[in-house]
């Protein structure tokens, strides 16, 4: 896709404006490179030999620095809430991002996600670094569109999933203006690859991040790589899927390129690789809205589409928030409770647990939810409005979004840099410890973070 002629590209490159980069970065300047590998369970690195994985960069970081045996994320274990917890050090009840997508049963928002930086209710690590006089940068980080704490920013954003219009849109929302046009081959990012090359888009993201390092010399750079997540959703979790294994190996090579470039500019950098969740294999789906429709809680038109609703299940993969249109409708609440109680008591339903009221909201359900329903491994929530509540799939896929009590949902944390004790096993940590840990490495403050930094043996 050629969005601009070569002449226009050259002009755009000349017009790039951004905070001045220090061409004489000192060897002792603090800097952080934070790489998120979406869907990376820590066992993939710990058991690389048994899995037949060639991932020398990740294994090298593990030997060189410290690592967590597991990271407990927030519920639901999906991308946007957990990435926001990573960057803020707070839970969804504080930062406000409870799901990937905007609750919208009627479809008014046409599939909108929680894209915008203004939706985050608390200060971020980007804000802290910027307040400390540092240049900040980010590539495809969730909930970052127009975030004021990011100087060089290509956020995660789309609307039509059409490569031309979404490509134009991403050029429009990226900063500094004209930067993306200077990155050779970046137009290929908008040609979404088909299976099995899930890593192709991440290669373009890596090119963009490398250009940011070269041009902007940010002391904080965050990048979100998504290929491993996409591969596992399509084909199932990594241990049993060769495509997912190849994707992680390609991702490891990209991490190696990023680390080398970062250390060339800032030799004293802290290199951190994190993830947001793991995966369950899925062979069956649970359709709560079909159950609600059978009980008259959702009315359908002649075409089987939703006409009106009293209760609605908003799904996050392995869990679902159930919202009542009228929170004071006691009859609907009782009817929903009866449906969910019956499913919870049926060992074949796939429902693991049901949380109610304040307990559900505190756990991570939507703020307006009356229930939070968690699935068992092997099951995920579906969207059908008719037919059986529980249905077998014709092949295995992968899902996350379950409560954070599932061991399979553990995330990863690897960190290396000056003074960090090599080979240090940090045990299990909380995902909300990432931001204060990196703030300390940068020498900046995050007083709103709720957890202490991870002890790195410095």
């Amino acid at each position: 896709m050629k969005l601009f002629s070569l002449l226009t590209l050259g002009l755009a490159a000349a017009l790039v404006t951004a905070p001045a980069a220090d061409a004489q970065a000192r060897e002792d300047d603090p800097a952080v490179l934070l790489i998120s590998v979406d869907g990376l369970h820590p066992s993939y690195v710990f058991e690389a030999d048994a899995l037949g994985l060639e991932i020398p960069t990740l294994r090298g970081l593990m030997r060189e620095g410290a690592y967590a045996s597991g990271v407990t994320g927030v519920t639901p274990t999906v991308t946007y809430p957990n990435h926001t917890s990573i960057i803020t050090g707070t839970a969804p009840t504080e930062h406000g991002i409870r799901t990937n997508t905007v609750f919208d049963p009627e479809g008014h928002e046409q599939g909108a996600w929680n894209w915008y930086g203004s939706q985050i209710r608390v200060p971020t690590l980007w804000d802290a670094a910027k307040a400390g006089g540092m240049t900040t940068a980010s590539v495809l980080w969730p909930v970052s569109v127009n975030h004021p704490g990011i100087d060089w920013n290509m956020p995660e954003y789309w609307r039509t999933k059409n490569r031309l219009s979404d490509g134009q849109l991403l050029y429009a929302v990226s900063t500094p203006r004209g930067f993306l046009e200077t990155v050779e081959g970046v137009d290929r990012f908008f040609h979404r690859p088909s299976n099995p090359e899930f890593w192709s888009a991440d290669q373009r993201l890596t090119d963009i991040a490398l250009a940011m390092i070269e041009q902007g010399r940010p002391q904080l750079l965050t990048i979100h790589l998504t290929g491993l997540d996409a591969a596992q959703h399509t084909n199932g979790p990594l241990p049993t899927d060769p495509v997912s294994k190849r994707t992680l190996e390609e991702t490891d090579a990209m991490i190696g390129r990023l680390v080398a470039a970062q250390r060339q500019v800032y030799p004293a950098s802290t290199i951190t690789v994190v993830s947001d969740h793991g995966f369950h294999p899925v062979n069956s789906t649970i359709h709560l809205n079909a159950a609600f429709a059978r009980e008259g809680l959702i009315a359908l038109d002649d075409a089987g589409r939703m006409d009106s609703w009293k209760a609605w299940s908003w799904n996050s993969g392995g869990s679902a928030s159930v919202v009542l249109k009228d929170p004071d409708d006691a009859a609907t609440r009782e009817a929903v409770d009866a449906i969910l109680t019956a499913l919870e008591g049926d060992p074949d339903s796939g429902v693991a647990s049901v949380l109610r009221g304040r307990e559900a909201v505190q756990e991570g359900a939507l703020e307006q939810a009356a229930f939070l329903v968690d699935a068992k491994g092997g099951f995920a929530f579906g969207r059908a409005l008719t037919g059986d509540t529980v249905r077998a799939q014709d092949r295995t896929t992968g899902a996350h979004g379950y409560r954070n009590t599932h061991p399979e949902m553990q995330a990863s944390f690897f960190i290396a840099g000056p003074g960090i004790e090599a080979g240090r096993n940090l045990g299990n940590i909380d995902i909300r410890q990432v931001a204060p840990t990196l703030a300390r490495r940068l020498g900046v403050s995050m007083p709103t973070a709720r957890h202490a930094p991870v002890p790195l043996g410095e």
Side-chain angles (χ1 to χ4, degrees):
M1 176 179 62
K2 282 293 183 183
L3 299 181
F4 301 91
S5 67
L6 291 176
L7 178 62
T8 306
L9 286 173
L11 178 61
L15 293 176
V16 170
T17 58
D22 181 5
Q24 303 297 322
R26 300 189 307 272
E27 288 192 1
D28 60 347
D29 279 345
V32 165
L33 171 62
L34 173 59
I35 304 168
S36 168
V37 181
D38 201 310
L40 176 67
H41 192 271
S43 65
Y44 301 168
V45 181
F46 302 155
E47 301 170 14
D49 284 338
L51 295 171
L53 282 165
E54 296 291 336
I55 48 172
T57 306
L58 285 168
R59 298 182 75 178
L61 288 173
M62 182 178 168
R63 290 191 302 270
E64 174 189 341
Y67 61 93
S69 57
V71 179
T72 300
V74 298
T75 299
T77 50
V78 290
T79 299
Y80 278 39
N82 278 278
H83 274 82
T84 309
S85 289
I86 289 169
I87 207 69
T88 65
T90 63
T93 51
E94 296 163 293
H95 61 60
I97 307 301
R98 291 175 176 266
T99 59
N100 289 347
T101 55
V102 176
F103 180 71
D104 182 30
E106 290 88 1
H108 299 308
E109 296 290 340
Q110 299 182 23
W113 286 43
N114 291 305
W115 287 303
Y116 305 103
S118 60
Q119 294 177 263
I120 302 176
R121 299 173 181 171
V122 296
T124 67
L125 184 61
W126 302 309
D127 295 315
K130 194 170 176 64
M134 300 175 182
T135 299
T136 60
S138 186
V139 179
L140 213 78
W141 201 271
V143 202
S144 68
V145 174
N146 199 35
H147 194 288
I150 308 172
D151 299 310
W152 297 69
N153 189 15
M154 197 204 81
E156 181 162 284
Y157 194 44
W158 69 89
R159 279 314 266 141
T160 65
K161 296 189 177 180
N162 175 283
R163 67 188 183 207
L164 176 61
S165 58
D166 274 349
Q168 295 280 10
L169 182 62
L170 202 47
Y171 275 98
V173 299
S174 295
T175 58
R177 190 165 182 83
F179 159 69
L180 272 189
E181 293 88 329
T182 72
V183 183
E184 183 179 356
V186 72
D187 57 301
R188 293 196 299 276
F189 172 77
F190 305 112
H191 292 259
R192 295 296 186 179
S194 59
N195 184 39
E197 294 187 348
F198 293 97
W199 55 86
S200 296
D202 283 348
Q203 290 174 332
R204 302 286 74 76
L205 297 177
T206 300
D207 291 339
I208 292 165
L210 292 171
M212 286 183 179
I213 293 171
E214 179 182 1
Q215 297 182 39
R217 296 178 181 265
Q219 284 179 263
L220 172 63
L221 169 59
T222 60
I223 176 171
H224 174 215
L225 301 176
T226 64
L228 181 63
D229 177 79
Q232 293 182 100
H233 274 299
T234 303
N235 299 316
L238 182 146
T240 59
D241 175 43
V243 174
S244 296
K245 291 169 68 174
R246 169 74 188 281
T247 302
L248 181 53
E249 291 176 340
E250 295 286 345
T251 301
D252 185 83
M254 296 173 217
I255 295 171
R257 294 173 62 202
L258 290 165
V259 171
Q262 176 75 9
R263 284 177 168 166
Q264 184 173 5
V265 174
Y266 292 109
S269 287
T270 297
I271 309 298
T272 309
V273 176
V274 298
S275 66
D276 46 358
H277 54 72
F279 265 84
H280 267 308
V282 172
N283 297 295
S284 299
T285 49
I286 308 167
H287 302 269
L288 293 181
N289 285 334
F292 297 161
R294 279 197 303 276
E295 297 300 319
L297 303 177
I298 297 174
L300 307 179
D301 63 18
D302 292 341
R305 297 183 296 258
M306 188 271 288
D307 185 58
S308 64
W309 62 279
K310 295 181 179 180
W312 192 267
S313 172
W314 196 252
N315 304 334
S316 290
S319 67
S321 291
V322 177
V323 175
L324 308 184
K325 190 163 191 179
D326 178 1
D328 297 323
D329 183 347
T332 295
R333 185 181 297 270
E334 290 175 6
V336 170
D337 202 330
I339 293 169
L340 299 180
T341 298
L343 289 170
E344 188 179 19
D346 179 356
D348 297 323
S349 73
V351 171
S353 61
V354 179
L355 303 183
R356 295 163 173 81
R358 180 174 177 79
E359 183 185 15
V361 175
Q362 285 296 114
E363 176 88 8
L366 292 170
E367 287 178 314
Q368 66 272 46
F371 304 88
L372 177 67
V373 188
D374 187 42
K376 298 175 182 178
F379 294 80
F381 289 94
R383 301 178 180 179
L385 297 176
T386 60
D388 294 337
T389 302
V390 182
R391 308 176 195 183
Q393 296 183 165
D394 57 5
R395 65 184 186 86
T396 298
T397 57
H400 49 89
Y402 305 81
R403 292 177 67 190
N404 63 4
T405 53
H406 293 239
E408 295 84 357
M409 294 300 107
Q410 288 282 297
S412 298
F413 179 78
F414 302 91
I415 185 167
I420 297 175
E421 181 181 343
R424 183 182 181 91
N425 185 341
L426 303 166
N428 191 277
I429 70 170
D430 191 288
I431 204 165
R432 292 168 290 179
Q433 291 182 270
V434 175
T437 300
L438 299 184
R440 184 175 65 180
R441 297 292 295 180
L442 288 170
V444 299
S445 176
M446 288 200 71
T448 54
R450 298 298 185 181
H451 287 252
V454 176
L456 300 174
E458 300 132 306

